[in-house]
Amino acid sequence: MRVFDYLDRYLVDDEYKITLTNNYLNIINYLEIMDFSNKEITIKHAHGLTIIKGNNLVVSKMMNDELLIKGEIKSILIK
C-alpha cells in the first residue's frame, strides 16, 4: 500500500472507536448523545448504541465527532 493510501485512510477514518484509560473514556466518530446523567450515558453510533455506566460521569470534552468522558466508569455495553 502506498503512503498516500495510509494518509487518506487516516484523514478520512470514520470508524467508531473507544479508548479507556485511567477513568477517561475517549469516543471517536459517534453520532449523538441519546441520554445523559451522572450515572449513565447513552451514545448513538453508526452500528447501534453504547451505554456507559458509572459514578460522577462528566463529558469533559465534546466536539462534532469526539467525546471525552471522565468519572468512575463501571461498565461499557456496546449494542
Side-chain angles (χ1 to χ4, degrees), residues 63-75:
M63 298 170 58
N64 288 341
D65 62 350
E66 185 175 358
L67 288 175
L68 183 63
I69 298 169
K70 66 179 185 176
E72 183 184 345
I73 298 166
K74 299 219 180 220
S75 69

Side-chain angles (χ1 to χ4, degrees), residues 27-77:
I27 299 176
I28 298 174
N29 293 322
Y30 75 100
L31 297 175
E32 180 181 356
I33 299 174
M34 301 293 293
D35 191 32
F36 179 88
S37 75
N38 66 342
K39 299 226 180 252
E40 184 174 305
I41 300 173
T42 303
I43 308 294
K44 182 178 180 181
H45 54 88
H47 302 287
L49 299 174
T50 298
I51 301 169
I52 300 107
K53 293 185 180 184
N55 295 316
N56 303 316
L57 299 177
V58 176
V59 176
S60 62
K61 175 177 144 184
M62 185 164 71
M63 298 170 58
N64 288 341
D65 62 350
E66 185 175 358
L67 288 175
L68 183 63
I69 298 169
K70 66 179 185 176
E72 183 184 345
I73 298 166
K74 299 219 180 220
S75 69
I76 302 168
L77 174 65

Side-chain angles (χ1 to χ4, degrees), residues 1-9:
M1 188 174 271
R2 298 179 328 185
V3 173
F4 178 75
D5 293 333
Y6 283 116
L7 182 59
D8 186 50
R9 282 185 33 210

